[in-house]
Amino acid sequence: MATNAGIEYALAERKYREAKTTEEKIKGLEEMLRTAPHHKASEKMLDQIKQKISKLRYQIEIKRAKKAGIKSLNIKREGAARVVIVGTTNSGKSTLLTRITNAKPVIAEYEFTTEEPEVGIMDYNGVNIQVIEMPAIIENFSNTKRGHEFLSIINDSDLVILTYRNQKEKDIVIKELWNSNVELPIIYYNNQDVEILKEMIWKNLKLVYVYTKMPSKDKDFPPVAFSKGSTVEDLAKKIHKDFINKFKFARIWGKSSKFVNGQQVGLKHILEDGDVIEMHMK
Ligand SMILES: Nc1nc2c(ncn2[C@@H]2O[C@H](COP(=O)(O)OP(=O)(O)OP(=O)(O)O)[C@@H](O)[C@H]2O)c(=O)[nH]1
Ligand SMILES: [Mg+2]
């Protein structure tokens, strides 16, 4: 009844305000949601309650993930991008990691050898890319003891390499990623040649690498990586914040130099893989 609804709501609100734990707070808010008047004028208030509930639920998730194991959650990002190797057990994840990075994980015939994420660095023309082998995916992965923690590392990546032994396993991994809202580009690993695979990884990361150079000096190594579509201006900003003010023009050698080698370009010029950029300052 309309009049009682007001009292019930007031009681629920009090329960929420007096709640000591996050779980109790959520319960109070849920009761508020149930007992609040539902009409046009209260829509905004209902939305606010819903938002509060999702925030609190998120806090609980984070706490649970942290409890499960702080170590893996804190893998530091290194290099220009992060790639994860995700697949079923014994599908060759560790073998692949040793092929494309400097890491030395244990490779064994038995299942579930890799229990913690294994981190390696892949070199692509001098650019470092972080590659992480995730422990094997099984059905209902997100409900496993450390599923959330591992999935948060996957979600914090730029690209997935998916390994599997047969179509059934491939479908399981795709389903688990889908269920956990992982929306990353995927490369399906089919024992591609290492160099071909590295090119595929680079292409899917949508990055460019370029070399900087000072007049009458050799090009600098290693190259610098940027997202595709970046310009001379982005490069100048990355080198030093004063560069933009002192910038006169740049000369470019490589793919993006359309007419002559050492073509003179301005700040808006778009960079391409392998370009050498010589900066001229005022
Ligand atoms: N025939 C064949 N065997 C492979 C291939 N890649 C790996 N293996 C073998 O398969 C077994 C498992 O390889 P791992 O690289 O450890 O597989 P993983 O996916 O890391 O396995 P877990 O970490 O245990 O989940 C090892 O005995 C490897 O020698 C491959 O391409 N072909
Ligand atoms: Mg392994």
Side-chain angles (χ1 to χ4, degrees):
M1 270 183 292
T3 43
N4 282 346
I7 296 163
E8 277 189 89
Y9 180 80
L11 287 173
E13 196 177 19
R14 192 163 123 195
K15 197 168 169 183
Y16 163 66
R17 260 192 274 113
E18 289 174 359
K20 299 232 160 39
T21 66
T22 311
E23 282 83 357
E24 283 170 12
K25 277 186 197 160
I26 292 176
K27 270 209 182 119
L29 286 166
E30 279 171 346
E31 266 184 59
M32 280 164 70
L33 204 57
R34 197 166 46 76
T35 55
H38 286 64
H39 49 69
K40 192 111 192 92
S42 64
E43 261 173 27
K44 202 173 162 193
M45 183 185 80
L46 292 171
D47 275 347
Q48 282 171 349
I49 297 175
K50 282 179 199 162
Q51 271 179 26
K52 269 186 199 157
I53 293 176
S54 26
K55 257 192 202 155
L56 292 172
R57 285 216 177 105
Y58 182 71
Q59 280 175 14
I60 289 180
E61 278 307 306
I62 295 285
K63 246 192 220 159
R64 191 154 66 196
K66 276 193 176 155
K67 232 185 194 166
I70 286 164
K71 189 183 155 212
S72 310
L73 261 182
N74 290 337
I75 296 176
K76 211 177 122 221
R77 250 183 188 267
E78 272 180 288
R82 171 183 282 184
V83 176
V84 278
I85 302 175
V86 177
T88 41
T89 190
N90 261 351
S91 57
K93 299 182 297 298
S94 299
T95 309
L96 173 60
L97 188 70
T98 58
R99 282 193 188 139
I100 58 175
T101 74
N102 57 348
K104 307 249 179 299
V106 178
I107 296 171
E109 281 168 27
Y110 56 87
E111 299 192 329
F112 303 103
T113 312
T114 308
E115 292 178 339
E116 296 290 329
E118 291 278 352
V119 185
I121 294 288
M122 177 183 110
D123 175 293
Y124 181 84
N125 292 321
V127 179
N128 283 347
I129 309 284
Q130 184 179 54
V131 183
I132 306 177
E133 175 194 358
M134 299 307 296
I137 298 283
I138 54 169
E139 267 177 291
N140 265 320
F141 188 68
S142 64
N143 291 328
T144 57
K145 200 167 150 221
R146 300 181 67 193
H148 270 281
E149 177 194 359
F150 294 149
L151 280 159
S152 76
I153 298 169
I154 297 175
N155 254 322
D156 189 27
S157 307
D158 304 302
L159 172 68
V160 170
I161 305 179
L162 201 150
T163 64
Y164 53 95
R165 287 175 296 187
N166 51 51
Q167 186 62 39
K168 189 171 168 244
E169 289 191 356
K170 185 177 176 180
D171 291 343
I172 288 174
V173 182
I174 291 173
K175 189 174 145 217
E176 293 306 317
L177 293 178
W178 172 261
N179 285 346
S180 303
N181 303 317
V182 176
E183 287 176 351
L184 296 170
I186 298 178
I187 293 176
Y188 297 96
Y189 181 57
N190 275 321
N191 263 309
Q192 289 97 327
D193 170 84
V194 166
E195 290 313 312
I196 290 173
L197 183 65
K198 282 172 123 181
E199 289 300 332
M200 287 172 82
I201 292 171
W202 184 255
K203 209 169 156 217
N204 274 281
L205 288 174
K206 299 199 167 19
L207 298 171
V208 284
Y209 71 95
V210 298
Y211 300 92
T212 52
K213 175 186 180 306
M214 282 317 200
S216 74
K217 294 263 165 52
D218 283 342
K219 67 179 183 188
D220 301 318
F221 195 88
V224 204
F226 292 93
S227 50
K228 232 180 183 141
S230 294
T231 58
V232 170
E233 183 172 3
D234 298 317
L235 173 70
K237 274 186 194 155
K238 190 152 179 166
I239 299 173
H240 199 278
K241 59 179 193 298
D242 285 348
F243 251 62
I244 288 290
N245 301 328
K246 293 183 188 154
F247 179 86
K248 209 157 79 185
F249 65 87
R251 285 192 190 284
I252 291 217
W253 287 261
K255 276 187 215 158
S256 81
S257 142
K258 296 276 179 299
F259 309 109
V260 282
N261 258 345
Q263 184 195 341
Q264 191 171 319
V265 295
L267 286 171
K268 296 292 168 219
H269 185 84
I270 293 173
L271 305 168
E272 289 202 40
D273 271 344
D275 281 352
V276 180
I277 294 111
E278 184 178 84
M279 293 290 192
H280 289 260
M281 318 310 286
K282 285 175 202 157

